[in-house]
Amino acid sequence: MAHFEKANSLEEWLDQRLAIKTLRRVLAEEYWIPKNINFLWAMGMVLAVTFGILLVSGIFLLMYYQPNVKLAFDSVNYTIMKEVEFGWLWRHMHAVAASVVFLIIYIHMFTGIYYGSYKKGREMIWISGMLLFVTFSAEAFSGYMLPWGQMSYWAGMVITNLFSLGSLELNGLVEWIRGDYVPGQAFLDRFFMLHVLLLPLVIMALIGLHFGTLRIPHVNNQDGEEIDFDAEAKKYLAGNKKEAKVIRFANDFMSKDMFVVSIFLIFYFYLVFWHFDFAMDPINFDPADGLKTPPHIYPEWYFLWSYEILRPFPKDPGLIAFGFAQVIFFALPFLDKSPNVAPASRRGAFKYWFWILLVDMIVLTVMGKLPPQGIYSTIGLVAAVVFIGLWVALPFITKNEKAV
Amino acid sequence: MKELKILGVVVFFTLLTYWGVEPYAHSVMHPHVESDGFKYDDLPALTKKGDAQRGAQTFLSAGCTGCHGVKAAGMPAPMDPNAAAASFGVNPPDLSNAGSVYDEKFLAALIKNPEHALMVEHKFSKMGRAYPMPAFYGVGGDKDQEVADIVAYLKSIAKKDVTPKEAYELACGRCHAMHYDNWTQIGEKPKFKHKKDELLFEAKVLEYQDYLTKYLGKLPPDLSMYIRSRGEHYLKTFMENPQNLLHGTAMPRVGVTAEAAEKVIEHMADVGDAKRHERTSVGVKVMIYLFIFAILAYLWKQSLWRELH
Ligand code: HEM
């Protein structure tokens, strides 16, 4: 057995057994971050905090929620909203966080795209991030089923229908996914399981993976500059903090993270208390009714852009375009052929590519909500074609990019 | 500062997206209907000044009490809700507080021609059905004067300060249940000692609902969560004139005053958004906490970063 001295403090006692000082040094104090980054690099921390909020509020909701088609709606809208002390608070926090987390995810993704943080060693950061995006999407969708309101039911119907894969008419597959001909008890049960167990586990594992992928390439910086982290860390440790191009994760960058988080929380809690309707669709406060289709069925805002890529085309091409939109972001590191890691503003044609993509996705998002009629479906069609065109064009416009 | 510029860009695109999917998209999907402030301009104003005492007499001779109770004046309903619904399709309201919940122009118009005031001609005379409440043909004198007297009488006996719940019960509650408030169309569901009594009550509710369904073509929805699913503005404009928002609906115009409409909405909020006052007060405290947190976080960051730049 190893030899243990008597410890003089709790810290020392723990250190003898768990090496917490080494852990702290490796994971925090000597985890080096470039100095030249702005608040957009705090979005990862904001996401981690928001996920924490979702987890904690979700645990509280789970204590009263009833996954039963007869009871689910009332367990949420009566028991949790009216009976349980502060149940309303946990519910609003959960629902608003679920919506806001996507806003931050999109900001985080577009930050990565803008600064080219997905290539030259950072491919796995990007891919693990995309896996998080996909899993978060599934998590949000499965959670949306749980209150068993009109939108839960009908969005569940529409989305699971996609799995019939158009003209292939795989209705058996759709029934297998639903566990029934239409959404019902079996459907609610399995989405409940996915939402509260399987997907959160996957998300936590993926967050671990995502953090791991950051370790070797380190995070990028505002100029895409390649930094010699060992040399710069030596400068810092020698007391040359002003000249060193790196800072400690803790407490240096974490103090900034915390400030950004505090601003984010002000925004988030403002929404929770005074402006929650955007995240809690009014239609979902009508109980599910399989005999009454709502006049407008639309997904939550963060799915609208891909929904709009599905909608303006005929059935089969629409599905193919939709499938394309779901996976194409994974391929970004490989479609961008330029060796430059630099902000988009310095990258020639890519600069336009970036801003067009952003605006195009906003246009798709808005058209996805509007009824598919007249001018809106034309705009939607054009925006969907532009989206696909942008990705097809990407390798060509980046191939001959001048080195910066 | 560069970071503020970046923040500006992020905020701009966020707000643009928000505007597109919320205010703009909703304005396209749900054309906006403005409230007229419950003025009921399509109905004629009362030309005669009513006399409450005479009105009490006229009220009795007109035969209103054959169907309506007036508990405030010691006149119970002539039939229980189910018997009434069996004959009329719906239980006629007790008129004790009609004078303060319903607009006087509306009451007068209703007495003279119920279908017209209620805006349900498309479901009755135009379909060859008689509306269960007959129009008032007068008791021998000047009909306008008699109607004004009845209205004055109803106003004189009505409680001035009906509670939100009473307003709801009178204006909506005979057709719309609200199970989050224990309210059924035949009244509040009591607490029962014996299962048998409870089942008997429930059977009565079901029977009443069957009559109502036959009468209206469809059972009116439970309104427990309508404050969240429809929102205040929709509910208000819908109450004022259901045909505006749901053309052809069997729901009659209920003819409440602006003040009574506020009360109905308040009751619906008490039931469907019960914690709204707590929400605001907790919200303010959380905000104060977060502002202090933000200031401390900023100071902490500054103290560390002074050495870094
Ligand atoms: C909830 C999910 C996520 C969490 C908790 C998370 C967390 C983080 C954290 C803490 C960082 C380091 C600090 C920073 O640059 O912000 C980071 C970096 C990064 N993440 Fe995520 N992330 C998530 C989702 C995503 C998604 C969806 C993508 C894109 C597909 C993504 C792509 C990246 C990239 C490219 C970086 C590196 C940034 C750089 O090197 O400058 N992440 N993430």
Side-chain angles (χ1 to χ4, degrees):
Chain A
M1 200 182 124
H3 178 68
F4 281 79
E5 301 275 336
K6 183 173 165 17
N8 292 318
S9 67
L10 180 63
E11 190 189 20
E12 205 177 313
W13 190 88
L14 283 173
D15 190 43
Q16 288 166 349
R17 286 155 183 84
L18 297 171
I20 57 165
K21 284 184 185 160
T22 315
L23 275 177
R24 193 166 64 208
R25 198 183 65 211
V26 174
L27 293 180
E29 287 165 359
E30 294 184 18
Y31 176 32
W32 300 103
I33 307 288
K35 195 186 283 175
N36 178 27
I37 59 182
N38 57 48
F39 77 90
L40 289 172
W41 271 267
M43 290 305 132
M45 181 62 95
V46 171
L47 282 172
V49 168
T50 314
F51 179 67
I53 291 176
L54 284 165
L55 198 63
V56 173
S57 54
I59 287 171
F60 279 99
L61 293 177
L62 195 47
M63 293 184 200
Y64 288 94
Y65 173 75
Q66 302 274 345
N68 178 304
V69 289
K70 292 212 187 72
L71 304 173
F73 186 85
D74 288 347
S75 74
V76 175
N77 288 304
Y78 185 77
T79 312
I80 291 174
M81 290 299 280
K82 283 187 71 144
E83 297 272 275
V84 180
E85 287 290 331
F86 293 103
W88 60 270
L89 178 60
W90 294 118
R91 180 173 187 212
H92 276 203
M93 282 176 65
H94 199 71
V96 174
S99 195
V100 165
V101 83
F102 279 92
L103 171 66
I104 307 296
I105 286 180
Y106 285 130
I107 295 174
H108 188 62
M109 281 175 73
F110 273 93
T111 304
I113 302 177
Y114 186 84
Y115 292 104
S117 313
Y118 48 82
K119 51 183 173 175
K120 279 206 157 165
R122 297 199 177 89
E123 292 84 353
M124 279 310 295
I125 309 180
W126 180 260
I127 289 169
S128 60
M130 273 309 292
L131 288 171
L132 272 168
F133 177 75
V134 171
T135 325
F136 257 90
S137 302
E139 176 71 359
F141 176 74
S142 57
Y144 200 61
M145 298 299 108
L146 303 188
W148 211 241
Q150 271 291 67
M151 270 301 191
S152 307
Y153 184 92
W154 288 99
M157 183 81 98
V158 171
I159 298 300
T160 44
N161 251 339
L162 295 180
F163 289 90
S164 67
L165 300 183
S167 300
L168 295 182
E169 305 218 6
L170 302 179
N171 297 327
L173 179 62
V174 176
E175 279 157 31
W176 181 74
I177 291 170
R178 291 179 184 160
D180 202 340
Y181 299 111
V182 290
Q185 185 59 48
F187 178 93
L188 181 58
D189 270 331
R190 64 192 56 189
F191 278 93
F192 174 65
M193 177 285 289
L194 287 174
H195 187 72
V196 306
L197 182 71
L198 185 56
L199 293 173
L201 282 180
V202 173
I203 286 175
M204 286 187 278
L206 285 174
I207 290 179
L209 172 65
H210 194 54
F211 286 4
T213 60
L214 285 159
R215 188 79 206 185
I216 294 170
H218 285 87
V219 293
N220 194 6
N221 55 73
Q222 287 195 87
D223 296 312
E225 181 186 351
E226 208 175 294
I227 294 174
D228 181 344
F229 280 87
D230 291 332
E232 297 298 328
K234 275 210 192 82
K235 277 193 214 160
Y236 184 103
L237 290 173
N240 223 343
K241 293 189 189 178
K242 285 200 179 7
E243 256 142 70
K245 286 183 179 165
V246 298
I247 55 178
R248 298 181 192 276
F249 168 64
N251 293 337
D252 295 346
F253 194 68
M254 206 169 70
S255 67
K256 181 160 178 172
D257 267 346
M258 280 305 118
F259 175 60
V260 177
V261 165
S262 70
I263 300 297
F264 165 73
L265 288 179
I266 289 175
F267 165 68
Y268 162 70
F269 276 107
Y270 160 72
L271 298 175
V272 167
F273 291 112
W274 289 283
H275 208 103
F276 39 80
D277 270 354
F278 81 99
M280 309 177 82
D281 200 287
I283 297 174
N284 222 22
F285 286 93
D286 277 341
D289 181 349
L291 300 174
K292 200 171 130 199
T293 319
H296 306 283
I297 303 177
Y298 44 79
E300 286 290 275
W301 72 268
Y302 37 85
F303 294 140
L304 288 170
W305 67 270
S306 54
Y307 185 58
E308 186 59 16
I309 288 175
L310 170 83
R311 227 171 35 164
F313 298 107
K315 197 155 141 198
D316 289 338
L319 268 172
I320 293 169
F322 181 69
F324 175 86
Q326 299 308 308
V327 298
I328 196 62
F329 277 90
F330 276 101
L332 175 62
F334 313 103
L335 294 177
D336 180 348
K337 300 281 178 202
S338 144
N340 290 331
V341 176
S345 61
R346 295 178 209 160
R347 287 186 53 194
F350 184 80
K351 172 168 143 188
Y352 301 104
W353 189 88
F354 174 86
W355 291 110
I356 296 172
L357 179 70
L358 176 63
V359 172
D360 190 55
M361 283 177 70
I362 292 178
V363 171
L364 283 167
T365 300
V366 177
M367 295 307 134
K369 180 111 176 212
L370 289 163
Q373 294 151 359
I375 184 77
Y376 301 129
S377 41
T378 315
I379 299 177
L381 178 66
V382 172
V385 171
V386 168
F387 180 87
I388 296 167
L390 279 170
W391 286 97
V392 173
L394 184 61
F396 302 102
I397 65 166
T398 48
K399 203 166 185 140
N400 302 317
E401 193 174 298
K402 276 208 298 282
V404 288
Chain B
M1 228 178 80
K2 192 164 172 199
E3 294 209 51
L4 285 180
K5 244 201 258 164
I6 298 173
L7 181 63
V9 173
V10 172
V11 170
F12 170 76
F13 284 109
T14 304
L15 288 179
L16 181 68
T17 311
Y18 170 76
W19 173 82
V21 296
E22 283 292 311
Y24 178 66
H26 285 284
S27 75
V28 173
M29 288 189 288
H30 319 283
H32 191 71
V33 173
E34 254 323 312
S35 158
D36 288 327
F38 296 86
K39 290 206 292 284
Y40 304 112
D41 282 331
D42 61 313
L43 300 175
L46 270 68
T47 48
K48 300 274 159 58
K49 198 171 150 30
D51 177 285
Q53 254 162 12
R54 260 199 330 258
Q57 282 307 315
T58 320
F59 182 75
L60 286 176
S61 20
C64 308
T65 50
C67 302
H68 294 279
V70 190
K71 289 207 188 90
M75 294 182 264
M79 290 186 248
D80 77 10
N82 284 51
S87 329
F88 308 125
V90 61
N91 184 21
D94 181 284
L95 299 179
S96 303
N97 290 323
S100 55
V101 168
Y102 298 119
D103 178 80
E104 60 172 26
K105 263 172 36 179
F106 174 81
L107 275 176
L110 179 104
I111 295 167
K112 285 196 213 156
N113 182 354
E115 267 193 300
H116 179 72
L118 293 162
M119 301 180 118
V120 288
E121 285 134 316
H122 61 293
K123 292 281 173 190
F124 290 94
S125 50
K126 287 195 185 142
M127 304 230 316
R129 272 167 86 192
Y131 187 75
M133 171 165 160
F136 172 62
Y137 288 110
V139 291
D142 172 0
K143 193 167 112 184
D144 284 333
Q145 184 61 52
E146 287 165 359
V147 169
D149 291 346
I150 295 176
V151 172
Y153 165 68
L154 290 175
K155 285 176 97 160
S156 73
I157 58 170
K159 261 203 327 206
K160 294 292 158 283
D161 49 348
V162 291
T163 62
K165 192 172 163 133
E166 286 168 339
Y168 175 86
E169 288 172 9
L170 178 57
C172 329
R174 289 163 300 115
C175 291
H176 294 283
M178 224 182 189
H179 74 296
Y180 286 3
D181 191 39
N182 241 344
W183 179 258
T184 76
Q185 288 95 341
I186 62 173
E188 192 145 314
K189 182 175 172 185
K191 281 222 173 354
F192 292 101
K193 263 218 203 88
H194 303 292
K195 185 78 189 161
K196 185 177 134 232
D197 296 332
E198 184 172 357
L199 289 174
L200 284 171
F201 180 85
E202 280 171 8
K204 266 169 85 177
V205 174
L206 288 175
E207 187 190 48
Y208 183 94
Q209 291 181 343
D210 284 344
Y211 292 132
L212 202 56
T213 308
K214 221 164 98 204
Y215 178 61
L216 294 169
K218 134 175 209 284
L219 185 67
D222 184 295
L223 299 185
S224 298
M225 287 309 291
Y226 263 48
I227 192 75
R228 292 293 296 261
S229 69
R230 300 300 187 279
E232 192 181 321
H233 181 79
Y234 181 95
L235 291 175
K236 227 192 217 157
T237 42
F238 192 78
M239 235 191 293
E240 190 171 16
N241 182 355
Q243 301 299 330
N244 263 349
L245 286 148
L246 206 62
H247 192 71
T249 178
M251 169 155 160
R253 164 160 76 177
V254 286
V256 289
T257 64
E259 202 189 332
E262 294 291 340
K263 287 186 178 162
V264 169
I265 302 262
E266 189 179 335
H267 181 62
M268 294 176 83
D270 287 343
V271 174
D273 192 10
K275 301 297 176 76
R276 62 197 187 287
H277 304 302
E278 191 182 18
R279 190 165 65 222
T280 315
S281 74
V282 172
V284 170
K285 287 178 199 133
V286 169
M287 282 296 150
I288 294 172
Y289 174 87
L290 286 174
F291 274 105
I292 297 172
F293 176 42
I295 292 168
L296 291 179
Y298 184 72
L299 294 176
W300 184 39
K301 190 229 148 194
Q302 288 306 77
S303 76
L304 287 170
W305 283 59
R306 245 192 308 275
E307 294 171 30
L308 302 176
H309 280 310

